[in-house]
Amino acid sequence: MTVLSFRTSQLGFHQGHFLAKGGQGKVYTVPNALPGLAGSFVYKEYLPAVPVDADALESVVGFLGTLGPGERTFLDNRSAWPVALVADGGRPLGFLMRRVPDEFRITVGNQTRTQGMEFLLNDDAYLRSIGIHLDNRLRLQLLRDLAQITALLHREQAAIGDLSPKNVLFTLDGTPRCLLIDCDSMRVHGRSAVEPVDTPDWEVPAGESRATPYSDAYKFGLIAARLFDGDQSRVDYRALGAVSPDLAALARRSVESAPAGRPDLVSWFGPLDAALAVTPSAPVPSPVPAAPPQPQFQPPPAPPARRSPVGWVVAASVALVLLFAGIGKLASSGGTSADVPASTSTTIPYEAPADPTTDPTTEPTTDEPTTDDGAVDVDTTQVDGDPGADEVAAMFGAFYGAINARDYDTALSYYDPATKAVDVHSTTERARWKKVMATTQESGVTLTALTDTDRYTEATVAFSSHQDAGYGPTSDPDQTCTDWTVTYWLTHNGGHYRILKAPSKGVSSSAC
């Protein structure tokens, strides 16, 4: 098995080619042409603290070369597979992979990003709002393609491991098909180059091994159920059963059986083909033209309403926290929040951004929002020495500062477009968010912990909020001064940190 290997000096990249950072490494575009390779490539450089099995990584890079021509071509078109090692002095530093093709990208708002299947785990109204037409036939075609990819890998002694919508990109252009990313974390011939991980809400049952055909079968069942249910995290087989009882039965066996009782991926082929044979394409709905605005009488503003027991929101920045935690809800769709990328069970805009560790398609941007008013200094003394502390602190300082300065559009720009706190593309939801945020001021912001995971950067922040009565924490809505400790999940696409989520278990509060 011959494996291509390059030194970093041959790649020609510099900091201007930086694309993204995740828990395992950084990703850069590769500007130089390289001998033996044709096309556009990106370089994933592992962080020094990440343990890498050099022999296993070499096995992953050489894997496609061990396949027959048909299988090799198929997987080459269905994955961003590592194609070459990058090493200096015999020490593996990372690998090269093909740049994700344009048809697997989507533009949401003003950001272009990889088009992960998590976009599809939402209701039809949200899908229409971002320009995606998805019917049951398209869902079946994507599942059929993913089943074929996974079955082929299993036959060739490889397991995906982190099989989740964040690592499965899709395109509906032409023939619907999928593309796997984060392939270096797969287990090939029983070995993994890096420690396998699970995406939140897609974990294997407690006590089970990651990255096995059994774990892939379990997660494929979850994908099948959630793709038809339009939800990020719950498990409900009814929507899939309405299309095909046989597929719903397969999904239930995959999710609820012990590992040995789960159907293999080949078992899905027949029921998927049968369902496709009787499921027609739905017509693409015509866009409805917006009605011209009509002048309306505007009554004087009413005083702020006190929050009901089911909760509207809490103090400004904590509105984000509790919305993510499922306590309040700014998005208009019903259900529970998922989250991301993704985690309760509401049908709200998708969660997570593409994996910042391996997303090779997010281009650097220079439109980093800034604010000079209401500035907030963030104390970083508890995380001195962390290389990301200053950048994270600058983001939180600008975010809280914008809230204090009542510059709410700038504050909203610090949310990842995939956030579930507020539909940042909806004028109505932005207005509702701003109304709640107008009740609070934040102070004493301290960054107390900073940890890179494989998916996100976890940042713990302590601060005090002063809010109007009626907007305090759930335990005491009339509380007007609250000390908070919040652990946020941050994404780092395009070279900038953005707020994605604050899981409920990462939120605590007490009266000042």
Side-chain angles (χ1 to χ4, degrees):
M1 178 178 64
T2 301
V3 173
L4 290 174
S5 182
F6 300 96
R7 299 183 305 276
T8 53
S9 59
Q10 294 177 268
L11 308 183
F13 74 95
H14 52 72
Q15 288 303 316
H17 295 102
F18 173 79
L19 289 177
K21 176 188 175 186
Q24 291 182 338
K26 299 179 180 180
V27 179
Y28 301 87
T29 55
V30 177
N32 286 0
L34 299 171
L37 294 177
S40 180
F41 296 88
V42 298
Y43 166 46
K44 177 177 175 179
E45 180 180 64
Y46 290 115
L47 297 174
V50 174
V52 179
D53 184 327
D55 291 338
L57 180 59
E58 183 173 349
S59 179
V60 170
V61 172
F63 174 73
L64 294 189
T66 67
L67 307 181
E71 290 84 355
R72 182 168 62 247
T73 299
F74 179 75
L75 286 179
D76 194 43
N77 291 327
R78 294 301 200 281
S79 65
W81 200 272
V83 297
L85 294 172
V86 177
D88 281 337
R91 182 173 65 91
L93 301 179
F95 62 89
L96 302 181
M97 57 187 168
R98 295 190 185 278
R99 180 180 166 85
V100 170
D102 289 344
E103 60 263 34
F104 291 94
R105 302 184 188 185
I106 187 172
T107 299
V108 179
N110 61 358
Q111 285 196 355
T112 298
R113 63 199 308 150
T114 49
Q115 187 167 254
M117 193 176 276
E118 73 267 23
F119 280 102
L120 304 183
L121 307 190
N122 291 287
D123 60 27
D124 290 339
Y126 174 71
L127 294 175
R128 287 194 298 270
S129 75
I130 59 174
I132 293 178
H133 166 67
L134 184 69
D135 59 25
N136 284 337
R137 182 172 182 81
L138 293 171
R139 291 183 175 95
L140 290 168
Q141 288 175 303
L142 290 173
L143 271 183
R144 182 61 169 83
D145 194 61
L146 183 58
Q148 186 172 356
I149 298 169
T150 310
L152 175 57
L153 288 168
H154 289 179
R155 192 185 76 190
E156 300 298 334
Q157 307 302 310
I160 298 172
D162 194 9
L163 178 58
S164 74
K166 310 234 177 319
N167 286 334
V168 180
L169 309 186
F170 75 94
T171 180
L172 301 178
D173 295 344
T175 302
R177 59 198 186 280
C178 301
L179 185 135
L180 302 181
I181 60 173
D182 204 13
C183 299
D184 62 309
S185 66
M186 293 187 187
R187 180 164 286 160
V188 176
H189 301 304
R191 299 179 65 181
S192 301
V194 292
E195 183 66 23
V197 297
D198 284 334
T199 294
D201 281 336
W202 298 86
E203 300 92 344
V204 294
E208 287 191 25
S209 298
R210 298 187 180 113
T212 68
Y214 296 134
S215 71
D216 286 353
Y218 172 83
K219 294 179 183 183
F220 190 88
L222 289 180
I223 288 176
R226 291 171 177 174
L227 182 60
F228 282 82
D229 189 37
D231 191 90
Q232 299 281 346
S233 60
R234 71 185 175 198
V235 183
D236 190 325
Y237 309 103
R238 288 175 294 180
L240 179 59
V243 175
S244 167
D246 289 341
L247 290 176
L250 280 172
R252 185 182 293 275
R253 284 176 53 203
S254 299
V255 174
E256 298 181 4
S257 298
R262 294 168 190 160
D264 61 25
L265 271 296
V266 175
S267 301
W268 288 80
F269 290 178
L272 282 166
D273 291 340
L276 279 165
V278 297
T279 304
S281 297
V284 179
S286 301
V288 179
Q294 300 294 326
Q296 297 181 357
F297 169 72
Q298 298 294 326
R306 299 173 80 81
R307 195 176 48 173
S308 69
V310 293
W312 167 234
V313 224
V314 294
S317 61
V318 182
L320 164 68
V321 174
L322 296 186
L323 289 168
F324 276 133
I327 298 172
K329 185 172 62 176
L330 284 174
S332 57
S333 55
T336 58
S337 102
D339 145 323
V340 186
S343 278
T344 63
S345 109
T346 309
T347 311
I348 317 182
Y350 95 107
E351 295 227 65
D355 176 6
T357 301
T358 57
D359 175 9
T361 64
T362 304
E363 300 294 349
T365 177
T366 58
D367 58 351
E368 173 73 354
T370 58
T371 178
D372 296 326
D373 298 323
V376 173
D377 291 327
V378 181
D379 184 359
T380 61
T381 54
Q382 297 186 47
V383 289
D384 278 348
D386 191 299
D390 289 343
E391 188 178 352
V392 172
M395 185 278 293
F396 277 123
F399 171 68
Y400 288 120
I403 291 174
N404 288 350
R406 305 294 188 253
D407 184 0
Y408 300 122
D409 287 324
T410 293
L412 283 164
S413 71
Y414 286 96
Y415 291 156
D416 188 286
T419 183
K420 291 186 175 181
V422 57
D423 183 350
V424 295
H425 309 300
S426 166
T427 301
T428 300
E429 294 306 320
R430 289 172 71 96
R432 296 172 70 191
W433 183 91
K434 293 174 185 181
K435 180 178 178 181
V436 173
M437 292 300 182
T439 70
T440 190
Q441 289 275 297
E442 271 67 55
S443 62
V445 182
T446 302
L447 185 61
T448 63
L450 195 60
T451 304
D452 279 330
T453 70
D454 189 57
R455 293 289 170 187
Y456 319 105
T457 294
E458 292 187 354
T460 300
V461 178
F463 60 93
S464 298
S465 67
H466 297 265
Q467 62 272 349
D468 292 348
Y471 289 88
T474 304
S475 58
D476 185 4
D478 289 334
Q479 197 175 99
T480 58
C481 181
T482 307
D483 290 330
W484 296 91
T485 299
V486 179
T487 297
Y488 292 96
W489 286 1
L490 309 179
T491 59
H492 195 264
N493 286 327
H496 304 308
Y497 285 100
R498 290 292 179 270
I499 297 170
L500 181 66
K501 175 181 179 175
S504 57
K505 64 182 181 181
V507 181
S508 61
S509 67
S510 60
C512 296

